[in-house]
Amino acid sequence: MLKRWSAAVVGGVLLLGALGACGGEKSDDAGSGTAPKGDKKIVLGFAQVGAESGWRTANTKSIQDAAAAAGIDLKFSDAQQKQENQIKAIRNYIAQKVDVIAFSPVVESGWDTVLKEAKDAKIPVILTDRAVDSKDTTLYKTFLGSDFVVEGKKAGDWLVNEYKGKTDPVNIVELQGTTGSAPANDRKSGFADAIKGSPNLKIIASQTGDFTRAKGKEVMEAFLKANPKIDVLYAHNDDMALGAIEAIEAAGKKPGTDIKIISVDAVKDGMTALAAGKINHIVECSPLLGPQLMDLAKKVVAGQSVEPRILTVESEFTPEQAKAALPDRKY
Ligand code: AHR
């Protein structure tokens, strides 16, 4: 799990990339990259989580663009947020004898068997974005992505500071990401840890919204019905916060004022809501992992050693910072 990595060697790089939509199972060999003429292209099988959020769409586009730019033959599959689909896709890549497999595990547990199959087939595996809880870390070469515990902690620290010096009870509702996923587990624990020294900050309800806008709206409607006094919403991603904003407005309340909102990601729609004062604070989680992934793929295929944990560099945004960043925001 991520906590295991917090003290590990890191090599963070800020990435640039473009955006777009992701599709189903397909080969994305764009043929326009930098692979030397005559050399066999590296074949990378990538098993994506799904298309559940703006973040995921930007992540998929970053990977597709970076593969084309690097001259890597990308085989891409969309698991529609189901672990069994991801396992099936990985087994297909093993059967196809791809050079390297990468995936963003939908949940943390249950990967050992398929990872062992890849290892036995001598196909290196790279984890991107999300971690697995396998004890045997030789089952994959590296894990490239954010520290979700730190993201949750940043969200909690912001809230503690916001209510500094106040002792009145503050009722918090939490929209969790996909149950069992690393970002849901870690953003929850990081946030809880940050607020634990402030007994007036209380999480009164916490439920999964599966990282989607529709589920975020639905769960927030239920929270509003069951709890007459909600002061704060902590959403594990922007999409759920955006769905919740619709529910809050439909209930006749003002998001950002009647209910303060903190979320994670900093995708364009989230940043727009932050700039408009409907979200109060966003912790960034960068989806632009494509270029680093392609570098790593080339290295592991060449048998070079890579750092076991590579962290993404990220920041946080206030409404003013969102206004300034929005004109150049690509995703
Ligand atoms: O794993 C990263 C998370 O997955 C993003 O924060 C969320 O938006 C996405 O669905």
Side-chain angles (χ1 to χ4, degrees):
M1 281 196 278
L2 279 170
K3 306 104 207 170
R4 234 168 350 111
W5 291 106
S6 52
V9 184
V10 298
V13 178
L14 272 175
L15 300 168
L16 297 171
L19 60 150
C22 66
E25 299 202 10
K26 61 182 186 217
S27 175
D28 280 343
D29 178 2
S32 59
T34 54
K37 276 209 169 81
D39 277 8
K40 193 184 150 287
K41 278 188 169 189
I42 290 171
V43 180
L44 163 65
F46 187 85
Q48 181 59 289
V49 170
E52 74 281 6
S53 63
W55 189 100
R56 190 64 54 197
T57 301
N59 178 247
T60 291
K61 188 66 167 73
S62 172
I63 288 161
Q64 290 172 331
D65 287 352
I72 286 180
D73 179 2
L74 175 68
K75 305 213 172 287
F76 181 89
S77 61
D78 174 340
Q80 299 180 336
Q81 296 234 71
K82 289 196 177 81
Q83 183 175 32
E84 67 261 33
N85 291 346
Q86 271 192 319
I87 291 175
K88 206 169 140 200
I90 293 167
R91 289 204 167 115
N92 274 336
Y93 295 144
I94 295 170
Q96 288 171 46
K97 298 186 174 25
V98 300
D99 299 306
V100 50
I101 291 170
F103 76 114
S104 173
V106 60
V107 291
E108 286 189 285
S109 303
W111 299 102
D112 288 32
T113 305
V114 73
L115 287 175
K116 178 103 183 13
E117 289 167 25
K119 192 179 176 186
D120 290 347
K122 298 195 174 15
I123 300 174
V125 172
I126 299 171
L127 303 178
T128 74
D129 162 37
R130 295 183 183 180
V132 297
D133 64 4
S134 304
K135 297 261 180 307
D136 181 358
T137 54
T138 68
L139 294 176
Y140 53 91
K141 295 288 176 194
T142 182
F143 166 38
L144 162 69
S146 311
D147 186 329
F148 299 130
V149 177
V150 167
E151 290 174 352
K153 190 169 172 338
K154 284 180 184 169
D157 285 345
W158 178 84
L159 195 65
V160 168
N161 192 51
E162 188 71 3
Y163 286 95
K164 205 172 169 179
K166 306 206 170 112
T167 50
D168 286 349
V170 176
N171 289 346
I172 305 164
V173 295
E174 179 180 32
L175 281 170
Q176 297 178 36
T178 302
T179 303
S181 69
N185 293 341
D186 294 349
R187 287 175 188 161
K188 181 166 183 50
S189 69
F191 182 82
D193 203 39
I195 65 166
K196 73 171 184 246
S198 309
N200 60 322
L201 304 183
K202 257 211 210 106
I203 300 175
I204 57 161
S206 181
Q207 210 178 300
T208 182
D210 213 10
F211 280 131
T212 69
R213 214 175 277 212
K215 244 338 196 54
K217 182 178 178 191
E218 189 186 308
V219 176
M220 190 68 203
E221 281 166 355
F223 283 164
L224 286 160
K225 271 186 200 136
N227 303 283
K229 182 182 177 286
I230 297 174
D231 303 301
V232 172
L233 162 67
Y234 167 42
H236 289 190
N237 80 344
D238 287 347
D239 276 81
M240 292 190 294
L242 292 162
I245 286 171
E246 289 177 33
I248 293 167
E249 286 175 336
K253 293 184 193 257
K254 226 176 148 192
T257 307
D258 297 330
I259 298 178
K260 289 188 204 275
I261 302 179
I262 323 154
S263 69
V264 185
D265 275 356
V267 294
K268 210 170 196 170
D269 287 355
M271 295 283 270
T272 304
L274 178 62
K278 294 185 177 193
I279 293 179
N280 303 79
H281 196 75
I282 297 184
V283 176
E284 186 182 32
C285 177
S286 175
L288 305 179
L289 306 177
Q292 271 176 304
L293 172 59
M294 299 312 143
D295 282 353
L296 289 166
K298 286 180 182 172
K299 282 184 178 153
V300 299
V301 170
Q304 293 170 20
S305 69
V306 293
E307 297 293 348
R309 173 69 168 111
I310 301 166
L311 266 183
T312 316
V313 175
E314 290 154 345
S315 66
E316 293 175 63
F317 292 93
T318 62
E320 293 66 38
Q321 288 165 333
K323 272 180 213 155
L326 262 171
D328 299 322
R329 203 77 184 157
K330 294 277 192 296
Y331 60 90

